[in-house]
């Protein structure tokens, strides 16, 4: 029950209820939804009325997020085209279409290694997950959006795409994600599919906290990657969920968070 100002002002009350259910009857896939920003996004989307699919390789946390959101967990390896195709085929079989894709799956390897120490194998692994994974998820999400007549895609880049990163592979791969999103936006506009790229800053995810811990182990003190000013995943999740809504229809291009 809404109380106070909202209860005394019907228009305001209607607006608040609209925000709470702004994703009602939308079908949204959150890739990387087991933990971190993906989990926060899935939970907020579900709270706002969406049917949520949690796609992740991490089955234990993915199932927990699915239970919390009353959604469906699908295990997927974003670097394997057959795995991605099967995951989105399951969504099509179950829901018939897809309204939104939030791609948050990503890895960071090689933090604080010099360029001489960095191996091509690690470099390729990071690109396979971050860039190829984003491409494959979009590739198989788009046909389901075309069935709906419109759609929204959000790719997750990073402030590391345009600033300093602890890893050569991570920073440059996120630049690739940003460019992929820009290209997708131009090419998918005629299909009524909107594409945005979100660049989170320093957020308290498992991946970020692992970098902070490694920095302490290597250098004995927190540096530029310290956790004193880390934001919460829910802050980014709220933005992701809003970008899935029709209220964001006029938003284009890149968005940046703290």
């Amino acid at each position: 029950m809404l109380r106070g100002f909202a209860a005394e002002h019907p228009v305001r009350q209607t607006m608040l209820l609209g925000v709470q259910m702004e994703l009602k009857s939308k079908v949204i896939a959150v890739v990387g939804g087991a933990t971190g920003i993906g989990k926060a996004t899935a939970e907020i989307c579900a709270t706002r009325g969406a049917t949520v699919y949690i796609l992740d390789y991490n089955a234990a946390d993915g199932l927990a997020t699915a239970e919390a959101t009353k959604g469906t967990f699908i295990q997927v390896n974003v670097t394997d085209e057959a795995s991605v195709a099967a995951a989105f085929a399951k969504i099509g079989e179950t829901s018939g279409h897809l309204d939104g894709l939030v791609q948050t799956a990503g890895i960071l390897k090689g933090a604080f290694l010099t360029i001489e120490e960095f191996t091509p194998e690690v470099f390729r692994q990071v690109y396979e997950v971050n860039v190829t994974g984003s491409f494959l998820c979009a590739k198989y999400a788009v046909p389901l959006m075309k069935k709906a007549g419109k759609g929204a895609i959000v790719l997750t880049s990073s402030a590391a795409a345009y600033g300093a990163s602890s890893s050569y592979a991570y920073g440059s791969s996120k630049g690739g994600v940003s460019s992929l999103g820009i290209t997708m936006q131009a090419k998918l506009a005629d299909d009524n599919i909107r594409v945005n790229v979100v660049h989170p800053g320093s957020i308290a995810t498992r991946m970020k906290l692992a970098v902070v811990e490694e920095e302490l182990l290597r250098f004995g003190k927190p540096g530029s990657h310290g956790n004193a000013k880390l934001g919460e995943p829910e802050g980014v999740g709220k933005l992701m969920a809003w970008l899935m809504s029709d209220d964001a229809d006029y938003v284009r291009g890149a968005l940046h968070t703290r």
Side-chain angles (χ1 to χ4, degrees), residues 8-256:
E8 295 169 6
H9 295 76
V11 173
R12 177 62 172 165
Q13 181 173 344
T14 300
M15 289 172 64
L16 287 173
L17 289 172
V19 168
Q20 291 173 1
M21 298 301 289
E22 66 186 1
L23 299 177
K24 185 177 180 180
S25 56
K26 288 190 180 293
V27 179
I28 297 173
V30 183
V31 185
T35 60
I37 292 171
K39 177 184 178 182
T41 300
E43 291 175 343
I44 294 166
C45 286
T47 299
R48 296 182 182 179
T51 296
V52 179
Y53 288 88
I54 313 300
L55 279 62
D56 207 297
Y57 191 74
N58 177 352
D61 290 321
L63 287 166
T65 302
E67 182 178 359
T69 59
K70 295 182 171 59
T72 301
F73 172 71
I74 303 174
Q75 189 171 36
V76 66
N77 176 357
V78 298
T79 69
D80 182 342
E81 183 171 7
S83 177
V84 176
F88 283 93
K90 184 173 181 179
I91 295 174
E93 292 165 3
T94 305
S95 294
H97 73 283
L98 186 65
D99 297 293
L101 166 68
V102 180
Q103 170 17 27
T104 69
I107 62 171
L108 189 158
K109 290 189 174 185
F112 308 113
L113 294 181
T114 66
I115 197 164
E116 296 94 337
E117 295 170 326
F118 226 103
T119 67
E121 290 75 19
V122 171
F123 204 85
R124 281 194 290 267
Q125 287 173 14
V126 174
Y127 267 72
E128 280 291 298
V129 174
N130 296 358
V131 184
T132 304
S134 295
F135 158 70
L136 288 174
C137 289
K139 173 182 172 70
Y140 288 97
V142 164
L144 294 175
M145 292 181 183
K146 289 181 177 180
K147 288 184 177 181
K150 64 183 300 187
I153 296 174
V154 175
L155 302 183
T156 307
S157 181
S158 170
Y162 55 88
S165 172
S166 62
S167 164
Y168 282 98
Y170 183 77
S172 58
S173 72
K174 287 301 184 177
V177 172
S178 298
S179 295
L180 174 64
I182 291 168
T183 303
M184 285 169 52
Q185 172 56 48
K187 290 184 173 292
L188 295 175
D190 289 344
D191 295 308
N192 206 21
I193 296 174
R194 171 169 47 84
V195 182
N196 291 105
V197 181
V198 172
H199 297 75
S202 295
I203 307 298
T205 62
R206 289 182 186 177
M207 185 171 69
K208 179 64 177 180
L209 292 173
V211 171
V212 172
E213 183 177 354
E214 184 169 351
E215 188 173 38
L216 285 170
L217 289 172
R218 280 177 172 266
F219 307 111
K221 61 181 180 179
S224 60
H225 299 277
N227 60 1
K229 297 181 180 179
L230 296 185
E232 293 300 322
E234 290 75 16
V236 183
K238 290 176 184 177
L239 174 60
M240 302 290 209
W242 179 73
L243 288 170
M244 292 290 99
S245 75
D246 292 339
D247 287 340
D249 272 349
Y250 274 46
V251 181
R252 297 292 184 272
L255 296 95
H256 305 266

